[in-house]
Amino acid sequence: MNPDVTWLTYFVLSVFVGIEVIAKVSSTLHTPLMSGANAIHGVILLGAVLVAGSSDGLALVVALVAVVLAAVNMVGGFVVTDRMLQMFTRPARPGAAARKRVD
Amino acid sequence: MPVWAQLVYLLCAVGFVLALKGLSGPRTARTGNLVGAAAAVVACALPFFYADLDHVVLILVAIAVGSVVGVVGAQRVQMTQMPQLVALFNGVGGGAAALVALVELELYASFAGSSDLPLAPLVFTAFTILVGAVSFSGSVVTFAKLQELMTSRPVVPPGLPFAFVGSGLAALVLAGVLVDSPAVWVGVLLALVGLLLGVLLVLPVGGADVPIVISLLNAFTGLTVAAGGYVLGNTVLLVAGTLVGASGTFLTLLMARAMGRSVGNILFGALKGGSTLGAGEASDRPVRSAGPEDVAILLGYAERVIIVPGYGLAVAQAQHTLRELVEVLLERGTEVDYAIHPVAGRMPGHMNVLLAEAQVPYEQLREMDDVNGEFRQTDVVLVVGANDVVNPAARTTPSAPIYGMPILDVDESRQVVFLKRSMRPGFAGIENELLFDPRTTLLFGDAKDSLGKLLAAVKAL
C-alpha cells in the first residue's frame, strides 16, 4: 500500500471520529470543549522536541522557541480547561435553597 | 521508531479521542480533560526514551519555561478573561507549528535542485507555515479585541479587501516557489505574509463574533499540527491535529448556528460594506429609571421572575450578590430562574462557567430554547449587564449586525428591569429599542452595587 494513501486513510478516519465524538455536545460545554481541543493541539510540543533534538545553530534556537510556545499551549491549555470544569463538577452545597422544579 | 513506541503513540491517539468524547458531556468533561492531558504528556515524553535527541537539557529547560508560563497564566486569569487566554494559547500553538515547519524546511533546502524533491511533504510544510502564522497573528488580534486593547468593533480600513486578496495571492505564489525550490528565506517570507493575512482576517470581525473566530483559528491550528505530523512521519500528531481540526470546524459551525450566523457572514460580512453599526454612543432619548427600592417592590411581589445575566454581571464580579438576591426571592416563594443565552458572556457556555463559579445551582440555569416560551407568563425579567442577547432588533431590523441571531424573548414579559451602568450600547454596538419601551425600567449603576442595594431593599420588604 502506498504510504501516502495510508496517511490519507488516517486523516479521513480521524476527521469522521473528530466530528462524531463531539456531535452531541450541549452549548453549555462549547467553551470548555474548545479549550480542551485547544490544549490537545499543544501536542505539537512533540514535534518541536523532535526537531529541536536534531538541529543546531539558528535552527536550534528557533526550535527551542517552538518548544516553549508549544509547552505554553499544552500545559496552560489543560490547566485552564480543568479550572473551568471544576466548576461543573463541584458537589451541590448543602442547604442551597434551590431545586424548586424537577423538570 | 521501535514498535513499542508506535504502540504507545497509538494509545495516546485513543486517549485524545476519549478526551474529546468526555469533554462533550457534563459529567465526564473533567475526566476527559485529564485523560487528554495524560495522553499529551506521555506522547511528548516518549521521544526522550526512543529517539536519539541532542540538546536534551536545553529542551527540558524550554519545556519547563513554557509550562511555568502556561500554568501561571491559567491559574491567574480571571474567569471573565478566559476567552482571550484560550485565544492566546491557541495562537502560540499555531506559532509553534509554523516554527517547527520552518526548521523542517531547512532540512529540505538541502535537497534543492535535486530531481527527487519530496512533493507532498513540501506542500504540507508550506501549509503549516502559512496557516500557523495566520492562526498566531489572528489569535493575537482576537486577544487584543477581547481584552479591549483595541476597539471591539469591526475595523475595515479602506482597501482591506484588496489587501486581503493581494496577500492571499502572494501567499499562494510563495508557497508555489517553496514547493518548487525549497529555501528558508521563502519560508520566512511566507510566514510574514501569513501574519499579515491573520491580522486582515480578524480585523473586520465584530466583537460579538470574535469567539467564533477563536474556534475557527483553533481548528486551523489543529490542521497545521496534523500537517506537521505528516511531515515528521508521526501518527499521533496527525491524528491529534486532525481530531482537533475536524471537531473544531464542527464546533465553529455549531456556535455560528447558535448565534444564527453563517461563518462566511461573520468573517466577511463587514467587508461587503453596508455595516450598519450604530454610532456606539449614548443616546439621549428618554427612558424610565427607578431606584433600588422601586425595583425591589417589583421583584418582591412578583410570582415569576427570570434573570438574564450578561457579561456586565461578570465584569462587575456581581455573581455572588445576584445568587444571594435569588435565594432571598426563592425564600419569599417567588419562582426564579436564570435564562442563559447560548452566547451570554463572551463565548458559548461562558456564562454557565461564571455562574457555576458563584455556586449557582445547575438546575436554576435554563437554556434559551427551554425558557423562551415562559416569558409571556413572567412578571418581571431582570436583565443584569446583558444587552445584545435581548435586543429585539435581531428579529425586527434586517440591517442590524445581529439580525437573525436567536434572542431571549424578554420583550414578551410584563415588566423588564435593566441593570445598566450607562446608556452605552452593548458589545455589538447597536442600540436596544427595548430600553425605551414603556414596560421597561432602568436601574443605573455598577451591577454589584445595584444588586447589593436591591438585596437590602428586598430583605427589608
Side-chain angles (χ1 to χ4, degrees):
Chain A
M1 196 166 169
N2 178 322
D4 278 350
V5 177
T6 310
W7 286 102
L8 184 66
T9 311
Y10 296 152
F11 175 77
V12 173
L13 292 180
S14 300
V15 167
F16 278 96
V17 173
I19 293 175
E20 201 53 41
V21 290
I22 66 141
K24 291 194 190 81
V25 63
S26 86
S27 65
T28 316
L29 283 168
H30 281 177
T31 297
L33 176 61
M34 186 210 292
S35 179
N38 175 41
I40 288 176
H41 70 50
V43 75
I44 186 64
L45 176 58
L46 164 59
V49 168
L50 285 173
V51 296
S54 55
S55 311
D56 282 297
L58 185 61
L60 174 64
V61 175
V62 174
L64 286 175
V65 173
V67 170
V68 173
L69 294 182
V72 171
N73 179 195
M74 187 178 110
V75 178
F78 283 117
V79 173
V80 82
T81 310
D82 191 59
R83 256 191 82 191
M84 274 181 232
L85 291 170
Q86 265 171 24
M87 293 160 192
F88 285 93
T89 49
R90 168 190 45 77
R93 292 181 322 136
R99 287 178 205 280
K100 269 203 83 178
R101 185 186 16 253
V102 192
D103 56 0
Chain B
M1 197 190 301
V3 173
W4 68 266
Q6 296 185 30
L7 287 173
V8 177
Y9 277 140
L10 172 62
L11 278 180
C12 295
V14 172
F16 291 136
V17 173
L18 293 177
L20 285 176
K21 180 78 190 155
L23 277 165
S24 48
R27 258 177 231 97
T28 51
R30 198 166 174 205
T31 322
N33 185 52
L34 295 178
V35 169
V41 169
V42 171
C44 293
L46 214 50
F48 292 99
F49 295 99
Y50 74 82
D52 188 18
L53 297 178
D54 299 332
H55 320 296
V56 170
V57 176
L58 279 177
I59 295 172
L60 287 175
V61 169
I63 292 178
V65 170
S67 305
V68 169
V69 172
V71 169
V72 170
Q75 294 284 5
R76 289 265 175 89
V77 69
Q78 303 244 330
M79 275 295 145
T80 42
Q81 294 172 334
M82 193 199 44
Q84 42 273 54
L85 187 73
V86 173
L88 214 54
F89 283 163
N90 175 52
V92 294
L99 291 179
V100 168
L102 274 175
V103 177
E104 278 290 296
L105 183 61
E106 202 209 7
L107 187 75
Y108 292 119
S110 54
F111 284 91
S114 82
S115 58
D116 49 322
L117 268 179
L119 178 68
L122 276 171
V123 171
F124 286 112
T125 301
F127 173 85
T128 306
I129 293 173
L130 177 66
V131 180
V134 168
S135 189
F136 177 74
S137 65
S139 297
V140 170
V141 178
T142 57
F143 173 81
K145 285 196 177 212
L146 288 174
Q147 192 70 27
E148 298 186 355
L149 300 175
M150 60 178 287
T151 171
S152 60
R153 296 157 56 75
V155 178
V156 190
L160 185 129
F162 300 103
F164 191 76
V165 173
S167 32
L169 289 176
L172 282 181
V173 170
L174 283 169
V177 173
L178 193 81
V179 171
D180 182 59
S181 51
V184 173
W185 66 269
V186 183
V188 173
L189 269 185
L190 184 62
L192 290 176
V193 173
L195 291 176
L196 178 66
L197 263 177
V199 174
L200 295 177
L201 183 72
V202 180
L203 273 184
V205 177
D209 293 332
V210 162
I212 292 183
V213 177
I214 297 178
S215 177
L216 188 68
L217 293 175
N218 189 33
F220 279 7
T221 307
L223 291 178
T224 61
V225 172
Y230 171 77
V231 175
L232 292 166
N234 188 299
T235 46
V236 76
L237 278 183
L238 177 96
V239 172
T242 311
L243 284 173
V244 176
S247 62
T249 307
F250 189 68
L251 184 60
T252 308
L253 295 174
L254 284 181
M255 286 184 180
R257 201 184 302 155
M259 297 177 72
R261 306 284 308 271
S262 77
V263 176
N265 192 356
I266 286 165
L267 287 178
F268 304 113
L271 293 186
K272 287 184 208 139
S275 171
T276 50
L277 290 177
E281 284 161 14
S283 159
D284 50 4
R285 286 165 62 191
V287 292
R288 205 172 64 161
S289 71
E293 293 77 17
D294 306 312
V295 176
I297 290 171
L298 277 181
L299 289 174
Y301 294 102
E303 281 179 20
R304 178 88 174 97
V305 172
I306 295 182
I307 315 268
V308 177
Y311 188 67
L313 172 81
V315 171
Q317 293 290 322
Q319 304 96 303
H320 289 88
T321 321
L322 178 64
R323 191 203 71 226
E324 283 177 50
L325 175 66
V326 171
E327 281 172 5
V328 170
L329 288 174
L330 286 169
E331 275 162 27
R332 289 180 62 91
T334 314
E335 198 185 334
V336 190
D337 282 307
Y338 296 81
I340 311 292
H341 191 276
V343 295
R346 286 284 150 91
M347 267 208 246
H350 191 192
M351 187 53 65
N352 300 68
V353 175
L354 295 171
L355 289 177
E357 189 190 22
Q359 310 189 323
V360 171
Y362 196 73
E363 320 65 81
Q364 286 177 15
L365 308 181
R366 308 275 306 276
E367 291 192 15
M368 178 177 68
D369 295 334
D370 177 36
V371 80
N372 245 351
E374 294 179 23
F375 282 108
R376 216 176 277 277
Q377 287 90 42
T378 302
D379 300 307
V380 183
V381 174
L382 183 66
V383 183
V384 188
N387 193 353
D388 297 327
V389 298
V390 298
N391 191 341
R395 284 199 306 260
T396 56
T397 316
S399 60
I402 57 167
Y403 183 70
M405 175 172 91
I407 58 164
L408 291 161
D409 298 327
V410 169
D411 51 333
E412 290 181 352
S413 66
R414 301 195 185 105
Q415 291 268 355
V416 185
V417 178
F418 276 87
L419 299 193
K420 281 184 78 67
R421 241 181 341 197
S422 67
M423 285 301 285
R424 264 190 39 197
F427 205 42
I430 33 173
E431 203 165 83
N432 190 345
E433 279 303 314
L434 190 57
L435 294 174
F436 309 102
D437 191 283
R439 285 167 304 167
T440 299
T441 309
L442 280 91
L443 176 56
F444 285 111
D446 171 74
K448 189 170 189 174
D449 198 39
S450 297
L451 283 169
K453 287 180 187 157
L454 256 181
L455 178 63
V458 173
K459 275 182 176 165
L461 281 178

Short mmCIF file of all heavy atoms in Angstrom, two decimals, chain B residues 393-434:
data_model
loop_
_atom_site.label_atom_id
_atom_site.label_comp_id
_atom_site.label_asym_id
_atom_site.label_seq_id
_atom_site.Cartn_x
_atom_site.Cartn_y
_atom_site.Cartn_z
N ALA B 393 -34.00 43.93 17.97
CA ALA B 393 -33.52 44.26 16.62
C ALA B 393 -33.10 43.00 15.88
O ALA B 393 -33.15 42.95 14.64
CB ALA B 393 -32.34 45.23 16.71
N ALA B 394 -32.72 41.97 16.62
CA ALA B 394 -32.34 40.71 15.99
C ALA B 394 -33.50 40.09 15.22
O ALA B 394 -33.31 39.31 14.31
CB ALA B 394 -31.83 39.73 17.05
N ARG B 395 -34.73 40.44 15.63
CA ARG B 395 -35.91 39.92 14.92
C ARG B 395 -36.45 40.93 13.93
O ARG B 395 -37.01 40.57 12.91
CB ARG B 395 -37.02 39.60 15.93
CG ARG B 395 -36.82 38.35 16.71
CD ARG B 395 -38.16 37.90 17.31
NE ARG B 395 -38.78 38.96 18.10
CZ ARG B 395 -38.73 39.01 19.44
NH1 ARG B 395 -38.11 38.07 20.10
NH2 ARG B 395 -39.30 39.99 20.08
N THR B 396 -36.31 42.24 14.26
CA THR B 396 -37.08 43.24 13.53
C THR B 396 -36.28 44.08 12.54
O THR B 396 -36.86 44.64 11.63
CB THR B 396 -37.74 44.21 14.53
OG1 THR B 396 -36.71 44.77 15.35
CG2 THR B 396 -38.74 43.50 15.41
N THR B 397 -34.97 44.18 12.72
CA THR B 397 -34.20 45.12 11.90
C THR B 397 -33.22 44.37 11.01
O THR B 397 -32.13 43.98 11.47
CB THR B 397 -33.42 46.10 12.80
OG1 THR B 397 -34.29 46.55 13.84
CG2 THR B 397 -32.91 47.28 11.99
N PRO B 398 -33.58 44.13 9.77
CA PRO B 398 -32.70 43.33 8.90
C PRO B 398 -31.31 43.93 8.73
O PRO B 398 -30.36 43.20 8.43
CB PRO B 398 -33.45 43.33 7.56
CG PRO B 398 -34.87 43.64 7.91
CD PRO B 398 -34.82 44.52 9.11
N SER B 399 -31.17 45.24 8.93
CA SER B 399 -29.86 45.83 8.72
C SER B 399 -28.95 45.71 9.94
O SER B 399 -27.77 46.01 9.87
CB SER B 399 -30.03 47.31 8.34
OG SER B 399 -30.69 47.97 9.41
N ALA B 400 -29.51 45.27 11.07
CA ALA B 400 -28.69 45.19 12.28
C ALA B 400 -27.68 44.05 12.16
O ALA B 400 -28.00 43.01 11.59
CB ALA B 400 -29.57 44.97 13.50
N PRO B 401 -26.48 44.24 12.68
CA PRO B 401 -25.47 43.18 12.57
C PRO B 401 -25.87 41.90 13.28
O PRO B 401 -25.36 40.84 12.96
CB PRO B 401 -24.21 43.80 13.21
CG PRO B 401 -24.63 45.06 13.85
CD PRO B 401 -25.95 45.45 13.31
N ILE B 402 -26.76 42.00 14.27
CA ILE B 402 -27.16 40.79 14.97
C ILE B 402 -28.45 40.22 14.40
O ILE B 402 -29.01 39.28 14.96
CB ILE B 402 -27.37 41.04 16.49
CG1 ILE B 402 -28.40 42.14 16.72
CG2 ILE B 402 -26.05 41.38 17.17
CD1 ILE B 402 -28.88 42.21 18.17
N TYR B 403 -28.93 40.76 13.27
CA TYR B 403 -30.20 40.30 12.71
C TYR B 403 -30.13 38.79 12.46
O TYR B 403 -29.19 38.30 11.85
CB TYR B 403 -30.54 41.03 11.41
CG TYR B 403 -31.88 40.63 10.84
CD1 TYR B 403 -33.05 41.00 11.48
CD2 TYR B 403 -31.96 39.87 9.69
CE1 TYR B 403 -34.29 40.63 10.98
CE2 TYR B 403 -33.20 39.49 9.17
CZ TYR B 403 -34.36 39.88 9.83
OH TYR B 403 -35.58 39.50 9.33
N GLY B 404 -31.17 38.09 12.90
CA GLY B 404 -31.20 36.65 12.70
C GLY B 404 -30.68 35.85 13.88
O GLY B 404 -30.89 34.65 13.96
N MET B 405 -29.98 36.53 14.79
CA MET B 405 -29.50 35.80 15.96
C MET B 405 -30.70 35.48 16.86
O MET B 405 -31.50 36.35 17.14
CB MET B 405 -28.50 36.67 16.74
CG MET B 405 -28.04 36.04 18.04
SD MET B 405 -26.68 36.96 18.82
CE MET B 405 -27.60 38.08 19.88
N PRO B 406 -30.85 34.23 17.28
CA PRO B 406 -31.95 33.94 18.20
C PRO B 406 -31.72 34.71 19.50
O PRO B 406 -30.59 34.78 19.98
CB PRO B 406 -31.82 32.44 18.46
CG PRO B 406 -30.85 31.92 17.45
CD PRO B 406 -30.00 33.07 17.03
N ILE B 407 -32.77 35.30 20.04
CA ILE B 407 -32.62 36.07 21.27
C ILE B 407 -33.59 35.55 22.33
O ILE B 407 -34.50 34.78 22.04
CB ILE B 407 -32.89 37.57 21.06
CG1 ILE B 407 -34.30 37.78 20.50
CG2 ILE B 407 -31.83 38.20 20.19
CD1 ILE B 407 -34.78 39.20 20.63
N LEU B 408 -33.37 35.96 23.55
CA LEU B 408 -34.32 35.68 24.62
C LEU B 408 -35.49 36.64 24.46
O LEU B 408 -35.29 37.84 24.34
CB LEU B 408 -33.63 35.90 25.97
CG LEU B 408 -32.55 34.88 26.31
CD1 LEU B 408 -31.63 35.41 27.40
CD2 LEU B 408 -33.16 33.56 26.74
N ASP B 409 -36.71 36.10 24.45
CA ASP B 409 -37.89 36.92 24.14
C ASP B 409 -38.35 37.70 25.38
O ASP B 409 -39.51 37.63 25.78
CB ASP B 409 -39.03 36.04 23.61
CG ASP B 409 -38.62 35.37 22.31
OD1 ASP B 409 -37.85 35.99 21.55
OD2 ASP B 409 -39.06 34.25 22.06
N VAL B 410 -37.43 38.46 25.91
CA VAL B 410 -37.69 39.23 27.12
C VAL B 410 -38.81 40.24 26.91
O VAL B 410 -39.58 40.54 27.82
CB VAL B 410 -36.38 39.95 27.53
CG1 VAL B 410 -36.63 40.96 28.61
CG2 VAL B 410 -35.36 38.92 27.97
N ASP B 411 -38.92 40.73 25.69
CA ASP B 411 -39.91 41.77 25.40
C ASP B 411 -41.34 41.26 25.53
O ASP B 411 -42.28 42.05 25.51
CB ASP B 411 -39.67 42.37 24.01
CG ASP B 411 -39.56 41.31 22.94
OD1 ASP B 411 -39.18 40.17 23.27
OD2 ASP B 411 -39.87 41.61 21.77
N GLU B 412 -41.55 39.94 25.68
CA GLU B 412 -42.91 39.42 25.82
C GLU B 412 -43.38 39.43 27.28
O GLU B 412 -44.54 39.17 27.55
CB GLU B 412 -42.97 37.99 25.28
CG GLU B 412 -42.84 37.93 23.77
CD GLU B 412 -42.93 36.52 23.25
OE1 GLU B 412 -42.95 35.58 24.07
OE2 GLU B 412 -43.00 36.37 22.01
N SER B 413 -42.47 39.68 28.21
CA SER B 413 -42.87 39.61 29.61
C SER B 413 -43.57 40.89 30.03
O SER B 413 -43.61 41.86 29.29
CB SER B 413 -41.64 39.38 30.48
OG SER B 413 -40.81 40.50 30.39
N ARG B 414 -44.14 40.88 31.25
CA ARG B 414 -44.96 42.02 31.67
C ARG B 414 -44.11 43.22 32.04
O ARG B 414 -44.51 44.37 31.80
CB ARG B 414 -45.83 41.60 32.85
CG ARG B 414 -46.74 40.44 32.46
CD ARG B 414 -47.87 40.18 33.42
NE ARG B 414 -48.55 38.97 32.97
CZ ARG B 414 -48.42 37.79 33.56
NH1 ARG B 414 -47.69 37.66 34.64
NH2 ARG B 414 -49.04 36.73 33.06
N GLN B 415 -42.97 42.98 32.67
CA GLN B 415 -42.08 44.07 33.09
C GLN B 415 -40.65 43.67 32.81
O GLN B 415 -40.29 42.51 33.01
CB GLN B 415 -42.20 44.30 34.61
CG GLN B 415 -43.50 44.87 35.07
CD GLN B 415 -43.47 46.38 35.13
OE1 GLN B 415 -42.44 47.00 34.90
NE2 GLN B 415 -44.61 46.98 35.40
N VAL B 416 -39.86 44.61 32.38
CA VAL B 416 -38.43 44.33 32.21
C VAL B 416 -37.64 45.36 33.02
O VAL B 416 -37.92 46.55 32.97
CB VAL B 416 -38.00 44.44 30.73
CG1 VAL B 416 -36.54 44.01 30.59
CG2 VAL B 416 -38.89 43.59 29.85
N VAL B 417 -36.69 44.86 33.80
CA VAL B 417 -35.80 45.76 34.53
C VAL B 417 -34.39 45.55 34.04
O VAL B 417 -33.90 44.42 34.02
CB VAL B 417 -35.86 45.50 36.05
CG1 VAL B 417 -34.90 46.42 36.78
CG2 VAL B 417 -37.28 45.66 36.57
N PHE B 418 -33.77 46.60 33.57
CA PHE B 418 -32.37 46.53 33.15
C PHE B 418 -31.48 47.11 34.24
O PHE B 418 -31.73 48.23 34.70
CB PHE B 418 -32.14 47.35 31.89
CG PHE B 418 -32.48 46.66 30.61
CD1 PHE B 418 -33.77 46.69 30.10
CD2 PHE B 418 -31.49 45.98 29.90
CE1 PHE B 418 -34.08 46.05 28.91
CE2 PHE B 418 -31.80 45.35 28.70
CZ PHE B 418 -33.10 45.38 28.21
N LEU B 419 -30.48 46.37 34.67
CA LEU B 419 -29.44 46.97 35.49
C LEU B 419 -28.32 47.35 34.53
O LEU B 419 -27.74 46.49 33.89
CB LEU B 419 -28.89 45.99 36.53
CG LEU B 419 -29.86 45.43 37.58
CD1 LEU B 419 -29.08 44.75 38.69
CD2 LEU B 419 -30.74 46.51 38.15
N LYS B 420 -28.04 48.62 34.43
CA LYS B 420 -27.04 49.08 33.45
C LYS B 420 -26.14 50.12 34.07
O LYS B 420 -26.53 50.85 34.96
CB LYS B 420 -27.73 49.69 32.22
CG LYS B 420 -28.28 48.70 31.24
CD LYS B 420 -28.86 49.39 30.02
CE LYS B 420 -27.82 49.84 29.04
NZ LYS B 420 -27.10 48.74 28.40
N ARG B 421 -24.92 50.16 33.55
CA ARG B 421 -24.00 51.19 34.02
C ARG B 421 -24.31 52.53 33.37
O ARG B 421 -24.23 53.57 33.97
CB ARG B 421 -22.57 50.79 33.71
CG ARG B 421 -21.72 50.65 34.95
CD ARG B 421 -20.33 50.28 34.62
NE ARG B 421 -20.18 49.72 33.29
CZ ARG B 421 -19.11 49.04 32.92
NH1 ARG B 421 -18.14 48.86 33.78
NH2 ARG B 421 -19.00 48.56 31.71
N SER B 422 -24.64 52.46 32.07
CA SER B 422 -24.89 53.69 31.32
C SER B 422 -25.77 53.32 30.14
O SER B 422 -26.17 52.18 29.99
CB SER B 422 -23.57 54.27 30.83
OG SER B 422 -23.04 53.39 29.86
N MET B 423 -26.05 54.29 29.29
CA MET B 423 -26.86 54.01 28.11
C MET B 423 -26.00 53.54 26.94
O MET B 423 -26.48 53.46 25.81
CB MET B 423 -27.67 55.24 27.72
CG MET B 423 -28.86 55.50 28.62
SD MET B 423 -30.01 54.12 28.63
CE MET B 423 -30.79 54.32 27.02
N ARG B 424 -24.74 53.27 27.19
CA ARG B 424 -23.88 52.83 26.08
C ARG B 424 -24.41 51.52 25.50
O ARG B 424 -24.82 50.64 26.24
CB ARG B 424 -22.45 52.63 26.56
CG ARG B 424 -21.56 53.82 26.31
CD ARG B 424 -20.14 53.44 26.59
NE ARG B 424 -19.87 52.08 26.12
CZ ARG B 424 -18.84 51.36 26.51
NH1 ARG B 424 -18.00 51.84 27.36
NH2 ARG B 424 -18.66 50.14 26.04
N PRO B 425 -24.38 51.38 24.17
CA PRO B 425 -24.86 50.14 23.56
C PRO B 425 -23.97 48.96 23.94
O PRO B 425 -22.88 49.14 24.46
CB PRO B 425 -24.78 50.42 22.06
CG PRO B 425 -24.41 51.83 21.89
CD PRO B 425 -23.86 52.32 23.19
N GLY B 426 -24.46 47.76 23.64
CA GLY B 426 -23.73 46.55 24.02
C GLY B 426 -22.54 46.27 23.13
O GLY B 426 -22.11 47.11 22.34
N PHE B 427 -22.04 45.06 23.25
CA PHE B 427 -20.81 44.65 22.59
C PHE B 427 -20.92 44.77 21.07
O PHE B 427 -19.98 45.13 20.38
CB PHE B 427 -20.52 43.21 22.98
CG PHE B 427 -19.08 42.83 22.90
CD1 PHE B 427 -18.10 43.69 23.35
CD2 PHE B 427 -18.73 41.59 22.41
CE1 PHE B 427 -16.78 43.33 23.30
CE2 PHE B 427 -17.40 41.22 22.36
CZ PHE B 427 -16.43 42.09 22.81
N ALA B 428 -22.11 44.49 20.53
CA ALA B 428 -22.29 44.56 19.08
C ALA B 428 -22.44 46.01 18.61
O ALA B 428 -22.47 46.29 17.42
CB ALA B 428 -23.49 43.74 18.64
N GLY B 429 -22.55 46.95 19.54
CA GLY B 429 -22.56 48.36 19.17
C GLY B 429 -23.86 48.86 18.59
O GLY B 429 -23.86 49.80 17.79
N ILE B 430 -24.99 48.26 18.95
CA ILE B 430 -26.26 48.75 18.42
C ILE B 430 -27.21 49.08 19.56
O ILE B 430 -27.18 48.47 20.61
CB ILE B 430 -26.95 47.70 17.52
CG1 ILE B 430 -26.62 46.32 18.05
CG2 ILE B 430 -26.58 47.90 16.07
CD1 ILE B 430 -27.37 45.26 17.35
N GLU B 431 -28.06 50.04 19.28
CA GLU B 431 -28.99 50.49 20.29
C GLU B 431 -30.10 49.46 20.51
O GLU B 431 -30.47 48.73 19.60
CB GLU B 431 -29.60 51.82 19.85
CG GLU B 431 -30.12 52.63 21.00
CD GLU B 431 -30.37 54.05 20.55
OE1 GLU B 431 -31.44 54.29 19.99
OE2 GLU B 431 -29.49 54.91 20.74
N ASN B 432 -30.61 49.40 21.73
CA ASN B 432 -31.65 48.43 22.05
C ASN B 432 -32.97 49.15 22.27
O ASN B 432 -33.16 49.87 23.24
CB ASN B 432 -31.23 47.67 23.31
CG ASN B 432 -32.14 46.49 23.59
OD1 ASN B 432 -33.23 46.39 23.02
ND2 ASN B 432 -31.67 45.59 24.43
N GLU B 433 -33.91 48.94 21.34
CA GLU B 433 -35.22 49.60 21.41
C GLU B 433 -35.95 49.26 22.71
O GLU B 433 -36.75 50.04 23.21
CB GLU B 433 -36.09 49.19 20.22
CG GLU B 433 -35.79 49.92 18.94
CD GLU B 433 -35.93 51.44 19.10
OE1 GLU B 433 -36.94 51.88 19.70
OE2 GLU B 433 -35.03 52.17 18.65
N LEU B 434 -35.67 48.08 23.23
CA LEU B 434 -36.37 47.62 24.42
C LEU B 434 -36.16 48.57 25.61
O LEU B 434 -37.02 48.70 26.47
CB LEU B 434 -35.89 46.21 24.77
CG LEU B 434 -36.66 45.44 25.84
CD1 LEU B 434 -38.12 45.31 25.45
CD2 LEU B 434 -36.04 44.07 26.04
#
